[in-house]
Amino acid sequence: MHIPDGFCSLPVSMTTAAVSLGALGLSIAKIRQGQSKAKGSSLLPATAAGVVFSAQMLNFPVAAGTSGHFLGALAMAALFGPCRAFLIMLSVLAVQAFAFADGGIIALGANLFNMGVIGGFVGYGVLRGLMLFLPKNRMGFLGAVGIASWASVILASIACSIELALSGSVPLAAGLPAMVGTHALIGIGEGLISCAIVGAVAYSRPDLLPDWTGFSKLAPSSHRPSRIWPIALIGVGLSFLLAAFLSPFASSSPDGLERVAEDMGFIDRIKELWTSSPLPDYSLTSITDPAISTGVAGVIGAVIVIAVCYLLYRLFTAGAPRASL
C-alpha cells in the first residue's frame, strides 16, 4: 500500500504529513516519558524494524494477478505500543522511499499516516477494545491481534481511498470498494503473520509484553534474566534470513494499490520525483543474477533500517532516563 508520488495531490500530501509530524511529536514525548521503564528500548524496536522491512519484501499472492505484503504496524504496536511502533514504521518507510524508490518522497507523509497513524495508533485502539471482551490469556490475546491486524489493513485502505478521491485520482465510489475488497484478502495474511510474530515473542518471552495482555502473569519467576541481546540477535538473524533467502521468491504480481490503479486507469499518474535511489526496485545493478541481487539488496536494506531506527531512538531519547538491560 505504498503510495507513489503523483497519486496524491500536494494539499493531501501536506495535510497527511502534518498529521504524521504531530504523531511523531507525540510518540517522542511518550517514549521519553516511559524510557526508564522500557527494557531494551532502543535495541529491540530497531531489530524489529529490520524484521518488518524484510517481511514487507515477501509479497504473497492473494488473487489472480494481485499480491499483498505484510504491513506490520499492528504487530509492532502489540509488542511495543503505538508510539514505538510509529518510529519503527517511520524508519522502514523512509528507507524504502529514499533507498529503494518504494513509495513516494512527497507521499511519505501519506504513507506514514496510513500505515503508522491508522495502522498503528487506530489499530492499537481496536486491539485494546477487543481485549476488553476477550479473555486475557494466550488465545484471547492472539485472537485480538489477528482481528486487529486485519482491521488495520482495512482501515488503512479506506484512508488511502479517501486520499486518492480527494486528490482526483479515482472517485471514492469506485476506489473504495476496490481497495477494501482487495485488502480484505491481504488483511487475512496480515493477521496470520502478525499472530506468528507476536505469538513467538509471547511464548518465548512473555515478560516483554505489556501487562494488559495478561502474558506477564504467565512469565516464569521474576528472577528470570532480562537480557535483551539474545532476542535482538534472533531478530537480526530473522531479518537477514527473510531478506537474503526468501525475498527472491516473493510474488512479482502488483500489490493491492497497484492493481486498483491499473484497473481504474490512474496508474499513469505516477511521477518519479526521486531518481537517486541507490537500490531501486530492491536490486543492485552490479549483480546480474536477479535472485542474488534482490537478496543482497534486502540484507543491505535491513542493516540500514536497523541502524536508522536505533539512531532515531537514541536521538529522540537523548537525556531521558534509561532502563538497565
Side-chain angles (χ1 to χ4, degrees):
M1 201 186 302
H2 292 66
I3 301 175
D5 285 326
F7 278 14
C8 288
S9 65
L10 187 59
V12 169
S13 297
M14 293 299 100
T15 300
T16 51
V19 176
S20 298
L21 188 61
L24 175 60
L26 173 64
S27 298
I28 294 171
K30 291 293 185 181
I31 291 171
R32 288 179 62 87
Q33 183 180 358
Q35 183 77 357
S36 60
K37 301 178 182 179
K39 298 177 181 179
S41 52
S42 298
L43 194 58
L44 285 185
T47 58
V51 173
V52 171
F53 169 83
S54 299
Q56 285 196 1
M57 293 181 65
L58 307 180
N59 281 43
F60 50 87
V62 295
T66 306
S67 69
H69 65 73
F70 183 55
L71 193 155
L74 190 281
M76 296 301 101
L79 294 174
F80 304 107
C83 294
R84 286 178 173 80
F86 186 82
L87 260 67
I88 289 172
M89 298 308 296
L90 169 62
S91 304
V92 172
L93 292 172
V95 171
Q96 287 173 334
F98 285 97
F100 296 91
D102 187 9
I105 301 301
I106 294 178
L108 179 58
N111 285 323
L112 190 55
F113 175 79
N114 296 340
M115 293 186 237
V117 177
I118 302 298
F121 280 97
V122 179
Y124 182 77
V126 174
L127 174 63
R128 292 300 300 267
L130 290 170
M131 286 301 294
L132 294 176
F133 305 97
L134 295 175
K136 292 181 174 57
N137 55 29
R138 288 187 174 100
M139 292 303 295
F141 176 56
L142 293 181
V145 167
I147 296 171
S149 296
W150 179 84
S152 71
V153 173
I154 298 299
L155 292 171
S157 71
I158 292 173
C160 182
S161 301
I162 294 173
E163 292 155 8
L164 295 174
L166 292 175
S167 301
S169 293
V170 60
L172 186 62
L176 181 60
M179 285 289 290
V180 172
T182 300
H183 287 86
L185 297 175
I186 296 173
I188 296 173
E190 179 79 17
L192 294 174
I193 298 171
S194 295
C195 285
I197 292 175
V198 176
V201 175
Y203 279 84
S204 61
R205 291 297 301 269
D207 55 305
L208 295 177
L209 293 177
D211 292 338
W212 58 266
T213 64
F215 269 88
S216 59
K217 299 176 182 178
L218 303 176
S221 78
S222 58
H223 299 292
R224 177 177 182 170
S226 60
R227 292 191 176 276
I228 301 301
W229 281 103
I231 196 169
L233 289 175
I234 291 173
V236 172
L238 178 60
S239 64
F240 289 174
L241 173 67
L242 295 175
F245 298 105
L246 296 184
S247 65
F249 301 99
S251 172
S252 59
S253 299
D255 67 14
L257 175 59
E258 290 175 319
R259 171 55 64 193
V260 170
E262 290 177 359
D263 292 344
M264 297 293 171
F266 62 93
I267 190 69
D268 57 352
R269 291 174 65 103
I270 293 178
K271 296 179 181 178
E272 281 194 40
L273 302 180
W274 176 257
T275 58
S276 301
S277 301
L279 302 167
D281 200 25
Y282 298 88
S283 63
L284 281 80
T285 55
S286 58
I287 300 178
T288 56
D289 187 286
I292 297 176
S293 177
T294 299
V296 173
V299 170
I300 294 173
V303 171
I304 296 173
V305 168
I306 291 170
V308 167
C309 190
Y310 182 80
L311 291 174
L312 284 178
Y313 268 90
R314 295 303 296 266
L315 173 65
F316 292 148
T317 59
R322 296 188 179 277
S324 61
L325 300 183

